[in-house]
Amino acid sequence: MNETVRGCDVFVVQSTNSPVNENLMELLIYINNKYNIELAVKDLMNNPTISELSIIIQGKLEKNQVKPISINKKKSDNTEYFELTQSQLRIFSTYTSNPDNIIYNMPVEVKLDKDIDCEKLQRCIEEIINENDAFSLLMRVVDSNIMFTSKNEYIKIDCINEILEERYLELRTDFVRPFDLLNERLFRVEIYKTEKNVYLLFDIHHIICDGISLNIFFNDIIKRYNGVVKDKKNGSFKNYLLSRIDPKNTPEYKSAKNFFNKMFDQGPISTCIKPDHKRKNTRTYNGEKLGVLFDSNIMSKVHKYVVDNKLTYNTLFLSILNIVLSKYTCKNDVVLGVATMGRKKLEDTNTIGMFVETLPFKTTVAYEKTPTEYLENVKNTMFEILDNDIYPIDELITDLSISKSNNRNALFDIMYNYQNMGFANLDIEGKKVSYTSLLENITKFDMTFNIMAFDNNFQLEIEYNKDLYNSLISSTLVSLGLPGQQASAKADSLKNCKSSSLTISFKSAGIPTSFDNCLTASTAALRYSSCVISSTPLTPIALAISRYFSPVAGALYSMTVGKIIAFATP
């Protein structure tokens, strides 16, 4: 089913049996909104039938677990004031340290047919901007505090320019520039009409917008231009800001605090792939991207595995990434940052604003367990993190006494994003619309792994800081993460290996028929499919080397313990 139900009054009977529906969160949002209760993700997963769910809902209603709502609205001289969320405060803090950076810009170029009615397009943009109150927000210092302010005034858009294509290509480069957060509007829009095309350039600061909001914005413009009338208006981001409460004295907050502090009860753990270059004293954001589209053969195997094991795609890809990073770092404990959409109310699902939250994810890759057991552990950990996302990451950093550094992130260096809400494949008057990000060479972390779902397929994209890493490390990571894809191995992969007794043999590697047949353990025989590779237990050094070089879903073809270790990669 390809239609969206966001923002609509609908009743959905949604199965939580295999295959697990990708939009499980939408069902959770609807139920919580309908009954004003706090139903957790694990409640849905552990009670997959309507009968079981009804019992859980009734139990929560009888316990009167109703969510408190507090409105604290301030007005003065027709001006409204709004406090920033924790995520917005983090973004502003980064801005103050370097006001000239553009790492939180979200610029997009939309390429349209040259016969598009530019005046009509401008009217549609103006209407959409004025219907979504996030665009009215300004940032000001009020009583020594950073606040959003807003006045109830109409925002006029006058942005049409007729120029030559060659001139447009020059202006396109200059469009992306830093926002002066305290002295200008937090978005920009321009329309350029050339002899070849019409271009819509749009940029907005991340402090009032997230990726889902961009999708909503452009989809609404296209639909408005095509004459599609929405049944329901978008939600209010100002209402979201006003309805937030201080959770610190609630049982949920205390429980979340205990959860995350227990997760790091051994102290902070660094998961960092050894850089090719020395880390600079100050933080840099010079990024590069490398991506690969999954082929149909892989997708059929991935889908079958997800269905058979009652998993989400997100759980599977996150688990694979953790194993890859465990191999590269030679550590069992892996810590990542994960992004959650932060939209918990029905009215938030179709609202333009900044909702996304970044949370820490820590897991232990236990090689003595079967992959099925490990996947189950990752799934449950992710659900628990989502259920405890009320606790701000800044508070956790304080709890762990982590001193902030000028050249890296405080708690994790690697980020993971799963995106299944990209731009819709829309058209204007029967002609396709193309979208292009204008911010391609920026990265906020040492590495960011993006899994993007679209058109019944997935793309893996790695962003990496090129001041730290060469392209080889990222291309190898892509290869190790995708069984069956062409991988490369080069001699300089061993440049940090001091042992002269290490030899390499390369052989062809097939795709395993079952993920469960790929086992690596320090006390068991090494297996690939039904073939026993070695019955000799692996030494810790040999095991560490095997984790580094063996692909996630491939296997070592031969290994002996002693002075000579031979192995194979695809």
Side-chain angles (χ1 to χ4, degrees):
M1 189 171 76
N2 296 321
E3 297 181 4
T4 179
V5 297
R6 292 185 183 87
C8 301
D9 292 327
V10 296
F11 292 91
V12 181
V13 177
Q14 182 169 349
S15 170
T16 56
N17 292 315
S18 59
V20 175
N21 194 290
E22 288 185 270
N23 298 314
L24 191 65
M25 287 302 296
E26 291 193 9
L27 176 60
L28 180 67
I29 290 170
Y30 180 81
I31 293 175
N32 285 342
N33 181 80
K34 178 68 176 178
Y35 298 103
N36 199 29
I37 60 176
E38 288 285 359
L39 198 66
V41 178
K42 61 184 177 184
D43 291 330
L44 292 182
M45 298 301 298
N46 295 333
N47 301 276
T49 68
I50 294 177
S51 176
E52 292 171 334
L53 274 178
S54 66
I55 295 174
I56 296 296
I57 293 172
Q58 185 62 38
K60 289 184 178 292
L61 288 173
E62 291 175 355
K63 292 180 181 179
N64 197 29
Q65 294 185 2
V66 178
K67 298 176 290 183
I69 298 177
S70 174
I71 303 292
N72 183 19
K73 196 170 184 177
K74 302 178 182 179
K75 283 191 175 182
S76 175
D77 300 327
N78 198 35
T79 300
E80 297 174 301
Y81 298 88
F82 309 87
E83 294 182 355
L84 279 66
T85 65
Q86 287 290 331
S87 295
Q88 290 169 326
L89 287 171
R90 283 195 298 273
I91 293 173
F92 185 78
S93 176
T94 302
Y95 163 79
T96 56
S97 65
N98 185 4
D100 294 328
N101 71 50
I102 58 172
I103 61 171
Y104 286 111
N105 287 43
M106 303 178 71
V108 176
E109 176 193 66
V110 183
K111 185 178 179 180
L112 305 158
D113 187 84
K114 66 178 181 179
D115 295 327
I116 288 293
D117 185 337
C118 292
E119 285 74 19
K120 180 179 178 181
L121 177 62
Q122 180 175 270
R123 286 196 304 271
C124 293
I125 296 172
E126 186 175 295
E127 290 171 3
I128 298 300
I129 284 175
N130 282 281
E131 290 172 7
N132 294 275
D133 55 22
F135 293 102
S136 70
L137 295 176
L138 302 171
M139 297 189 69
R140 298 292 185 264
V141 178
V142 181
D143 297 331
S144 301
N145 295 315
I146 300 300
M147 303 281 287
F148 284 125
T149 69
S150 176
K151 289 187 177 182
N152 294 323
E153 56 186 18
Y154 192 83
I155 301 174
K156 186 67 177 176
I157 303 297
D158 185 11
C159 59
I160 300 176
N161 307 274
E162 293 195 32
I163 58 176
L164 295 175
E165 181 86 7
E166 182 179 359
R167 176 57 178 157
Y168 164 74
L169 296 177
E170 297 173 355
L171 294 174
R172 177 181 184 266
T173 305
D174 299 330
F175 178 73
V176 183
R177 58 191 185 277
F179 280 95
D180 185 352
L181 294 187
L182 295 176
N183 293 291
E184 67 173 316
R185 289 211 175 272
L186 304 177
F187 70 93
R188 304 184 182 111
V189 58
E190 296 285 348
I191 298 175
Y192 290 95
K193 182 177 178 62
T194 75
E195 70 276 15
K196 294 182 178 180
N197 299 288
V198 170
Y199 298 95
L200 166 60
L201 295 182
F202 179 78
D203 195 3
I204 189 168
H205 201 278
H206 189 31
I207 204 163
I208 60 166
C209 184
D210 55 26
I212 294 176
S213 298
L214 270 185
N215 184 48
I216 295 171
F217 178 65
F218 286 115
N219 287 354
D220 284 354
I221 291 173
I222 301 301
K223 290 178 180 179
R224 182 70 56 89
Y225 187 97
N226 288 333
V228 178
V229 180
K230 294 184 66 173
D231 296 330
K232 195 173 184 179
K233 291 183 178 180
N234 291 350
S236 167
F237 186 60
K238 292 197 296 188
N239 284 347
Y240 165 77
L241 293 174
L242 291 169
S243 65
R244 293 177 301 117
I245 63 172
D246 184 358
K248 290 188 177 181
N249 295 323
T250 64
E252 293 81 9
Y253 184 90
K254 294 177 182 178
S255 176
K257 177 184 174 73
N258 292 335
F259 169 78
F260 281 109
N261 277 272
K262 184 178 180 181
M263 177 182 287
F264 292 94
D265 58 359
Q266 301 298 318
I269 298 170
S270 174
T271 298
C272 177
I273 297 176
K274 186 175 181 180
D276 297 309
H277 310 290
K278 183 179 179 180
R279 192 182 294 273
K280 298 182 179 181
N281 294 329
T282 57
R283 195 168 170 185
T284 66
Y285 304 95
N286 299 318
E288 196 67 71
K289 291 184 179 180
L290 181 68
V292 61
L293 186 68
F294 291 19
D295 62 33
S296 57
N297 184 36
I298 291 178
M299 278 310 305
S300 62
K301 293 179 181 293
V302 167
H303 179 71
K304 183 178 186 304
Y305 191 80
V306 166
V307 171
D308 292 344
N309 292 274
K310 300 181 181 180
L311 299 169
T312 63
Y313 291 110
N314 186 24
T315 298
L316 178 61
F317 293 133
L318 178 58
S319 301
I320 292 175
L321 174 60
N322 286 325
I323 296 172
V324 171
L325 294 176
S326 173
K327 292 173 182 291
Y328 262 76
T329 60
C330 295
K331 294 180 180 179
N332 287 44
D333 290 329
V334 176
V335 177
L336 304 170
V338 294
T340 64
M341 66 178 185
R343 298 169 185 252
K344 297 184 177 181
K345 297 179 181 179
L346 188 62
E347 58 265 30
D348 296 337
T349 59
N350 209 37
T351 299
I352 292 176
M354 168 55 180
F355 294 88
V356 71
E357 296 285 349
T358 300
L359 302 170
F361 179 93
K362 175 181 174 291
T363 186
T364 298
V365 182
Y367 287 92
E368 69 276 7
K369 293 185 178 181
T370 67
T372 300
E373 292 172 333
Y374 176 66
L375 286 163
E376 185 69 19
N377 177 65
V378 170
K379 180 179 71 174
N380 292 334
T381 301
M382 191 66 198
F383 289 159
E384 289 177 332
I385 287 174
L386 292 173
D387 292 338
N388 289 280
D389 64 356
I390 192 175
Y391 192 61
I393 190 172
D394 305 85
E395 296 290 337
L396 178 60
I397 291 171
T398 300
D399 291 345
L400 299 177
S401 301
I402 301 176
S403 58
K404 294 186 178 180
S405 171
N406 292 326
N407 63 354
R408 68 194 308 169
N409 287 283
L411 190 56
F412 45 79
D413 296 308
I414 298 175
M415 187 73 185
Y416 167 80
N417 293 314
Y418 178 83
Q419 306 172 28
N420 63 347
M421 302 180 70
F423 292 140
N425 190 19
L426 299 177
D427 61 75
I428 286 184
E429 297 176 340
K431 296 179 180 178
K432 294 298 180 183
V433 176
S434 65
Y435 306 87
T436 303
S437 172
L438 298 180
L439 201 64
E440 292 294 327
N441 299 316
I442 297 290
T443 183
K444 303 180 187 72
F445 299 89
D446 289 4
M447 284 189 176
T448 299
F449 293 80
N450 298 309
I451 294 288
M452 293 169 286
F454 57 92
D455 297 333
N456 299 317
N457 204 342
F458 290 92
Q459 178 174 332
L460 167 63
E461 179 184 80
I462 297 180
E463 300 175 11
Y464 63 96
N465 190 317
K466 60 184 180 182
D467 290 333
L468 294 174
Y469 300 105
N470 298 325
S471 60
L472 174 63
I473 187 76
S474 296
S475 61
T476 305
L477 280 168
V478 170
S479 301
L480 294 186
L482 292 176
Q485 298 285 7
Q486 184 64 36
S488 61
K490 296 187 178 181
D492 55 358
S493 297
L494 299 175
K495 62 184 180 182
N496 295 319
C497 181
K498 298 179 180 180
S499 173
S500 60
S501 60
L502 184 66
T503 62
I504 308 173
S505 65
F506 293 93
K507 300 180 182 180
S508 61
I511 303 175
T513 56
S514 170
F515 191 64
D516 285 0
N517 288 329
C518 303
L519 302 178
T520 304
S522 58
T523 58
L526 192 62
R527 302 177 64 86
Y528 179 78
S529 189
S530 60
C531 177
V532 176
I533 308 302
S534 169
S535 59
T536 307
L538 305 180
T539 65
I541 295 177
L543 180 60
I545 294 175
S546 75
R547 292 180 188 175
Y548 185 94
F549 286 102
S550 66
V552 170
L556 307 182
Y557 264 68
S558 62
M559 177 170 285
T560 58
V561 177
K563 293 185 177 180
I564 296 181
I565 302 172
F567 58 91
T569 63

